Every structure is written in C-alpha cells, then in structure tokens.
C-alpha cells in the first residue's frame, strides 16, 4: 500500500526550531519529487518546499532561508527542518508525492498532516 | 508570479445538481492544471491532472476542461459526499519549480 505518514509537529515558541518527518511506504521517496504543503487554520493550501529525485530543492519565498527540505533514502523519509519559526508558520503541514505526467505536475499522494503551532 | 483565482468562493447547491467551478490563471499555463477535493479534517485528494484527466479511482461525474488561462471543474450530479472545498493548482512557467494553489471553492448544501 502506498502512503505517507508525517510526524514531528507540536507547539513551539517564536524563533524556535522543529523538524518534521514524512515516512513513505510503497514507493521510494528518491524516485519521485516530494513536497511539503501547508494549510493555516481556516485557510487554503500553500506550497512550501520541493525536493526532486536528483536532489535539487526549492522553497517558497515565505520560508526561504529558514526552512530546509531533505531526505534520507535509507529510511525512505522526507524531512522539513524549520528554523526561526514565526506565528504565520502555524499550520497543518502535509507531505505530498509529486506526479509528473510528462506534461504537467500534480500531487497524487498526501499524508494526513501534522500540526505546527507557533506561539509568541 | 503565477496567481490562480477561483470562482465562485462558495457554491450552494442541492444533491443531484450540476456544479461548475472556475479557475483562472494570471498567466498562460497551457493544459497542465490539477484539481483537488478537501473535506474537513482530511488531506486534499487529487481529482484531475493535466486539466482533464481523472486520477485513479475518481468517479466519472468529475470532469475537467480548459487550457491557457481558463479552466473548469464540473461535477455532473452532486452526491452527498461531494460537498467539500475544491482547489486548483499549477506549476508556474516562471519562476519555475514553484507551485501555486487557488484559494478554493466551497461547495455546500443548499
């Protein structure tokens, strides 16, 4: 069965750090591009970061310089290192598998999400 | 920067009715748009990719169309489980490798 399981969320202080994990089952994270997408309470979806199979990484401007996406192929796990946390980082963080049809891109598998709350 | 605009923000319909949701892009993105469904407390689910292809397991009552800057998601006859929020999503031509979501359309029961 193909699924993603995020862990690591919690209540953090402003300026703190946190690492989220996303364990994959049924496929290799190194064979797909993988992303983090977040959703603030009552709001829409916001793309955060992507790591491609070749290792290149990209981050949204809102998190650039503070968040880092990485993976451990041996553990088949994707990570999001979050530093200098701000109140506006409060959200449910989803891990998602990228699907490329050769034409367009979509996220075909999503984890259940992990909540990050940043208090001031 | 690519901006996706969805309309209407809320669509109030009854089961059995047809739902038509719109997504407009601020720049031409050809045919490579995706649609997602999200129910309260759940992760998003991929419905449509490449504007008109249904993802695995998605019922035939869901269809997508459009290209360039204007796209449509149609639910031909609403089932009770279809009342949810729907998002469109695209990867921009520039800057590349950035993904954008629309603000969502909520389909609720009239």
């Amino acid at each position: 069965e193909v699924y993603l399981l995020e862990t690591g969320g919690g209540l953090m202080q402003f300026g703190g750090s946190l690492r989220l994990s996303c364990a994959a089952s049924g496929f290799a994270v190194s064979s797909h591009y993988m992303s983090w997408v977040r959703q603030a309470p009552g709001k829409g979806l916001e793309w955060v970061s992507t790591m491609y199979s070749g290792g290149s990484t990209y981050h949204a401007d809102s998190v650039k310089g503070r968040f880092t996406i990485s993976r451990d192929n041996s553990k088949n796990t994707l990570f999001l290192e979050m530093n200098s946390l701000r109140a506006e980082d409060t959200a449910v963080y989803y891990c998602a598998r990228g699907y490329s049809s050769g034409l367009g891109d979509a996220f075909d598998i999503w984890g259940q999400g992990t909540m990050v709350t940043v208090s001031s | 920067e690519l901006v996706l605009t969805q309309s209407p923000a809320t669509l109030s319909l009854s089961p059995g009715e047809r739902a038509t949701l719109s997504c407009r892009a601020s720049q031409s993105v050809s045919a490579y748009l995706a649609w997602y469904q999200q129910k309260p407390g759940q992760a998003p689910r991929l419905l449509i990719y490449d504007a008109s292809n249904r993802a695995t397991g998605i019922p035939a009552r869901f269809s997508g169309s459009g290209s360039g800057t204007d796209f449509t998601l149609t639910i031909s006859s609403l089932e009770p489980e279809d009342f949810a929020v729907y998002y469109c999503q695209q990867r921009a031509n520039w800057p590349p490798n950035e993904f954008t979501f629309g603000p969502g359309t909520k389909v609720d029961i009239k």
Side-chain angles (χ1 to χ4, degrees), chain A residues 7 10 17-19 21 25 37 43 50 52 54-55 57 63 68 79 84 89 91-92 96 101 104 107 116:
Chain A
T7 55
S17 298
L18 192 63
R19 188 175 82 158
S21 300
S25 178
V37 176
K43 303 298 183 181
T50 291
Y52 287 87
T57 62
V63 306
T68 303
F79 301 102
S84 303
D89 296 321
V92 175
S101 67
F107 301 114
V116 174

Side-chain angles (χ1 to χ4, degrees), chain A residues 20-109:
Chain A
L20 305 182
S21 300
C22 170
S25 178
F27 71 98
V29 295
S30 59
S31 298
H32 295 261
Y33 72 89
M34 299 293 297
S35 296
W36 290 95
V37 176
R38 68 184 180 184
Q39 186 170 38
K43 303 298 183 181
L45 302 171
E46 179 190 14
W47 170 75
V48 175
S49 302
T50 291
M51 185 170 196
Y52 287 87
S53 57
S56 56
T57 62
Y58 299 88
H59 300 83
D61 286 346
S62 59
V63 306
K64 204 170 290 183
R66 301 188 299 122
F67 290 11
T68 303
I69 188 172
S70 63
R71 71 185 181 218
D72 184 331
N73 295 341
S74 67
K75 296 181 179 179
N76 206 26
T77 299
L78 184 75
F79 301 102
L80 185 68
E81 190 77 37
M82 310 164 67
N83 297 313
S84 303
L85 284 165
R86 305 168 180 169
E88 55 264 36
D89 296 321
T90 294
V92 175
Y93 284 74
Y94 294 102
C95 169
R97 186 178 81 171
Y99 167 73
S100 183
S101 67
L103 298 174
D105 297 90
F107 301 114
D108 65 343
I109 303 294

Side-chain angles (χ1 to χ4, degrees), chain A residues 108, chain B residues 45-49 53-59:
Chain A
D108 65 343
Chain B
R45 176 175 71 146
L46 177 65
L47 296 176
I48 301 287
Y49 65 94
N53 295 313
R54 278 188 300 277
T56 303
I58 301 304

Side-chain angles (χ1 to χ4, degrees), chain A residues 39 52 58 101 103-104 107 111, chain B residues 32 36 38 43 50 87 91 97:
Chain A
Q39 186 170 38
Y52 287 87
Y58 299 88
S101 67
L103 298 174
F107 301 114
Chain B
Y32 314 143
Y36 302 85
Q38 187 180 34
D50 291 352
Y87 296 95
R91 185 168 78 168
N97 301 306

